Amino acid sequence: MKLGRVVGLRRLGREFVLWRDTDRRAIVMDDRCPHRAARLSRGRIRGGCLECPYHGFRFDARGKCRMIPANGVNAPIPHGFEVAPLAVREAHGLVWLWHGELAASNGDTPWLPGAPEASGRSIEIEREIPINYLRAMENLGDIHHTPFVHRLTLPGTGTRIEIDRCEMKDGIIESAMRLVPDIGSRFRFQAAFTSRLCLPTLASINISKRIRFIASATPIDEHNTWIWLRYSEDYLPGWLGGKLLARLAALFDINLVFTRQDLAMISTQQLDDPADISGYQLIDADRAIGMFFGLHKRAAMIAEAKSREGDRHAAGMH
Ligand SMILES: [Fe+2]
C-alpha cells in the first residue's frame, strides 16, 4: 500500500482502517472515530497523522489524539480520545494483524518457506469471494476434483489418486499426489501436483513443473473471504516477458478455473458450522484436508482455553 493512502477493511467481521505513517510503517486501527463514530478510513493523512473526515480530529501512529480543531489547534487533548492500534507485522508483501494482544502470540508472521516471493517473474492478484475461508482452504488442499470440476479446462485428466507423500512437519502439511488414468477409463492424462498448507490461511501449490503460487484465504467475515495469490513462473526470465506469462497464468487460474468452476461448486457445499467437518465422510485422497482441519481444531481449542484463562485472571483481579 502506498504512502498517503488510507484503506478501510473488514476482517473477521471487524472494521479496520489501514494507513502508513511517515516511516512507512503499516498502522491498523478500528475504523471508528472515538468522537462521534465516523469511519476514519474516509479520512486522509495530514501532518503524519490520520485525520477524521468528519471534524478533523487527528490521530498519530500510536493512536494518540493530537488535535481537536474545534477546541483550537494548540489546545490540550482531554482523555478518552485514544484509538488503540492493533499489533501488526509486515513480511513477504503482506500485512498481518493480531486481533488480540501481540504478547499472547509469538509475533512470528506465518509463511511457507520457499514459496514465491515478489520478483520480475511473479504477479499478485486479489479477489473478494462469497464463501467461508475454510471452504477455500479445503479446495486448495484437494486435487481429485480436477477431472470433474475442471473437465473443460483440463480435459482427460486421470481420476484415481496416487499419494506419493502426505505428511506434516513443523506445522506444514506437505503432499505430492498424482491423478492417474484408471483401467478402461477415457481419462488419459496423468497430472502431478505438490501442495503445502499451514495455519492460519496459507496454501502453496505447484500447478505445473514451472508454475506455482502461494495463496492466503483471509476471512472478511463468516461468509466472505479475501483471497490473495502470488503466481510465479520459471519458463521465461523477467526481461523476456516472465511477468506477462505469470499474469496470464494467474488470470486464467483465477478468472476461469477458480471463479467459474471451483467457486460455483464450493457454494453448493452445505455445513451449519464452517469449521465443523464431522459431517464429512473423507476418503484417502482427502488426507491433507483432514490434517488441515485437525490443525485448525487444535489451534481453536488452545485459543479458547487461553481466553478462558484470561477471563479467570481478569475476574480474579476484581
Ligand atoms: Fe479446483
Side-chain angles (χ1 to χ4, degrees), residues 139 142 145-146 149-150 257-258 261-262:
N139 177 264
D142 164 14
H145 69 272
T146 304
V149 177
H150 307 306
V257 177
F258 186 73
Q261 299 170 349
D262 289 295

Side-chain angles (χ1 to χ4, degrees), residues 20-41:
R20 282 193 192 280
D21 70 2
T22 38
D23 298 329
R24 299 196 58 83
R25 272 181 312 168
I27 316 287
V28 177
M29 299 163 166
D30 280 316
D31 193 8
R32 185 177 188 278
C33 182
H35 172 221
R36 274 164 51 198
R39 269 194 200 285
L40 293 170
S41 58

Side-chain angles (χ1 to χ4, degrees), residues 35-309:
H35 172 221
R36 274 164 51 198
R39 269 194 200 285
L40 293 170
S41 58
R42 302 275 175 91
R44 54 184 186 167
I45 309 295
R46 279 293 172 272
C49 288
L50 175 61
E51 185 189 77
C52 177
Y54 205 177
H55 305 95
F57 286 40
R58 286 187 187 183
F59 303 91
D60 69 14
R62 286 176 300 144
K64 240 180 120 175
C65 184
R66 303 302 289 254
M67 192 198 288
I68 299 179
N71 286 356
V73 289
N74 293 319
I77 309 294
H79 288 297
F81 288 92
E82 301 78 30
V83 198
L86 278 92
V88 169
R89 291 273 186 281
E90 232 177 314
H92 305 282
L94 287 171
V95 176
W96 293 91
L97 71 94
W98 276 258
H99 288 248
E101 298 271 314
L102 184 61
S105 78
N106 61 11
D108 287 340
T109 48
W111 191 245
L112 288 162
E117 301 290 348
S119 78
R121 294 167 153 194
S122 74
I123 195 83
E124 289 163 28
I125 198 162
E126 57 179 303
R127 294 277 187 279
E128 290 191 2
I129 51 175
I131 53 167
N132 182 278
Y133 80 104
L134 289 168
R135 297 288 80 71
M137 292 305 293
E138 184 185 317
N139 177 264
L140 288 162
D142 164 14
I143 71 157
H144 61 109
H145 69 272
T146 304
F148 301 96
V149 177
H150 307 306
R151 66 177 176 272
L152 298 175
T153 35
L154 298 160
T157 311
T159 51
R160 192 167 59 79
I161 279 274
E162 292 269 6
I163 303 173
D164 296 322
R165 196 172 75 250
C166 187
E167 59 201 12
M168 177 145 63
K169 217 176 136 195
D170 300 330
I172 295 173
I173 300 153
E174 197 163 327
S175 47
M177 299 189 187
R178 279 171 297 128
L179 282 166
V180 297
D182 220 343
I183 308 144
S185 167
R186 63 194 165 85
F187 295 99
R188 283 164 295 140
F189 303 110
Q190 178 169 307
F193 300 84
T194 57
S195 74
R196 287 183 296 159
L197 299 173
C198 76
L199 291 178
T201 59
L202 291 173
S204 80
I205 299 182
N206 291 27
I207 47 178
S208 79
K209 267 205 177 101
R210 293 178 166 201
I211 296 183
R212 58 206 179 104
F213 70 77
I214 179 162
S216 174
T218 309
I220 294 173
D221 54 34
E222 202 179 340
H223 306 290
N224 296 282
T225 296
W226 177 70
I227 190 156
W228 167 92
L229 304 103
R230 179 184 289 140
Y231 288 79
S232 81
E233 60 78 37
D234 292 332
Y235 288 103
L236 297 174
W239 59 269
L240 212 66
K243 217 175 190 64
L244 183 67
L245 185 63
R247 182 184 296 277
L248 288 176
L251 290 176
F252 173 79
D253 200 38
I254 283 300
N255 290 354
L256 201 66
V257 177
F258 186 73
T259 310
R260 297 276 288 275
Q261 299 170 349
D262 289 295
L263 214 50
M265 193 50 58
I266 295 167
S267 58
T268 72
Q269 288 179 284
Q270 301 146 62
L271 283 175
D272 296 330
D273 173 358
D276 181 9
I277 60 161
S278 59
Y280 283 177
Q281 295 288 346
L282 297 182
I283 60 169
D284 218 24
D286 298 319
R287 211 187 285 172
I289 294 172
M291 287 163 89
F292 180 80
F293 277 86
L295 271 183
H296 182 269
K297 195 172 177 181
R298 207 168 319 137
M301 278 163 61
I302 292 170
E304 205 174 299
K306 266 190 187 162
S307 93
R308 267 204 309 270
E309 202 175 294

